[in-house]
Amino acid sequence: MTERKSGNLFAKLTPPASEERFEALLETDGVTLEHIVSTGQATPPGDWYDQPRAEWVVLLKGAAGLRFEDETEVRELRPGDYVLIPAHARHRVEWTSETEPTVWLALHVAESRGA
Amino acid sequence: MTERKSGNLFAKLTPPASEERFEALLETDGVTLEHIVSTGQATPPGDWYDQPRAEWVVLLKGAAGLRFEDETEVRELRPGDYVLIPAHARHRVEWTSETEPTVWLALHVAESRGA
């Protein structure tokens, strides 16, 4: 980690893609920082994410609906909104904007003390 | 880390503050995720940050000038721009916008394999 890797999270957002784009920005022991660009995708019907690590996720552009299995309401996320998704908290992305790219930053971490 | 802590990175940006605001969003073993709001502050003249951990930092709103001690040019950061600052890479913030709040997200990590 001696390289001063730099870039822009909002660059190259076009053209709309048929698949979500994932890019690992940083990967260390137990920690992954991921840049995600969605263009209308959602978690397939009936599927739930059940992750072994906690995920801190922020939506930076666009909009999305996030649902936890044990919640009835879909959380609507707008730019700047972040949520900490505990390990094994089953959740899914109900929708992402179809009119503009949705940019996420997701930090996956193995364990926590505090916060 | 069972709580679904949520919030918005762009909320409560006013009024302009005389000091930078720092908030730890997440703290785990060796990892700290920090939300920073600057309102015109800069690193004091002659001071350099020399950090034991690498820092991945992204500017989300506003603008700032970041300088590494061994570089002659100041890197101008605009929304979405990120830089990985390796451990012990001496650097300073030359300036932050005086006309709008500058919002940063900084991830401090202890070590790395890959990336």
Side-chain angles (χ1 to χ4, degrees):
Chain A
M1 199 137 66
T2 55
E3 194 199 343
R4 293 166 193 179
K5 193 182 167 190
S6 63
N8 188 289
L9 298 180
F10 306 136
K12 296 181 290 182
L13 292 184
T14 52
S18 59
E19 304 202 341
E20 287 184 307
R21 285 213 332 254
F22 294 84
E23 183 194 2
L25 296 168
L26 200 72
E27 197 134 26
T28 72
D29 293 318
V31 177
T32 305
L33 180 67
E34 204 171 38
H35 181 214
I36 305 165
V37 181
S38 312
T39 42
Q41 293 85 7
T43 309
D47 280 12
W48 296 92
Y49 290 112
D50 184 337
Q51 303 173 133
R53 291 186 291 178
E55 176 180 356
W56 184 93
V57 65
V58 61
L59 187 148
L60 296 176
K61 270 192 194 293
L66 174 70
R67 206 192 134 202
F68 286 95
E69 191 177 31
D70 61 4
E71 291 180 355
T72 49
E73 295 216 356
V74 175
R75 297 180 184 220
E76 184 166 327
L77 304 182
R78 296 285 167 182
D81 284 338
Y82 64 83
V83 184
L84 178 61
I85 303 172
H88 298 298
R90 286 160 63 90
H91 63 283
R92 46 179 281 119
V93 176
E94 292 285 341
W95 55 270
T96 57
S97 174
E98 302 204 353
T99 58
E100 58 178 329
T102 295
V103 178
W104 312 78
L105 203 55
L107 177 66
H108 301 268
V109 292
E111 56 186 305
S112 171
R113 17 174 217 218
Chain B
M1 200 137 64
T2 55
E3 193 199 343
R4 292 166 194 179
K5 192 182 168 190
S6 62
N8 188 289
L9 298 180
F10 306 136
K12 297 181 289 181
L13 291 185
T14 51
S18 58
E19 303 204 342
E20 288 185 306
R21 285 214 332 255
F22 294 84
E23 184 194 1
L25 296 168
L26 199 73
E27 197 133 28
T28 73
D29 293 319
V31 177
T32 304
L33 180 66
E34 202 170 40
H35 181 214
I36 305 164
V37 180
S38 313
T39 42
Q41 293 84 7
T43 309
D47 280 13
W48 296 92
Y49 290 112
D50 184 337
Q51 303 173 133
R53 293 185 289 178
E55 176 181 356
W56 184 93
V57 65
V58 62
L59 187 150
L60 297 175
K61 271 192 194 295
L66 174 70
R67 207 190 135 204
F68 287 96
E69 191 177 30
D70 62 3
E71 291 180 355
T72 50
E73 295 217 358
V74 175
R75 297 180 184 218
E76 184 166 327
L77 304 181
R78 296 285 167 183
D81 284 338
Y82 64 84
V83 184
L84 178 62
I85 303 173
H88 297 298
R90 285 162 64 89
H91 64 283
R92 47 180 279 120
V93 176
E94 292 285 342
W95 55 271
T96 57
S97 174
E98 301 205 354
T99 58
E100 58 178 329
T102 295
V103 179
W104 312 79
L105 202 55
L107 176 67
H108 301 268
V109 293
E111 56 188 305
S112 171
R113 15 174 218 221

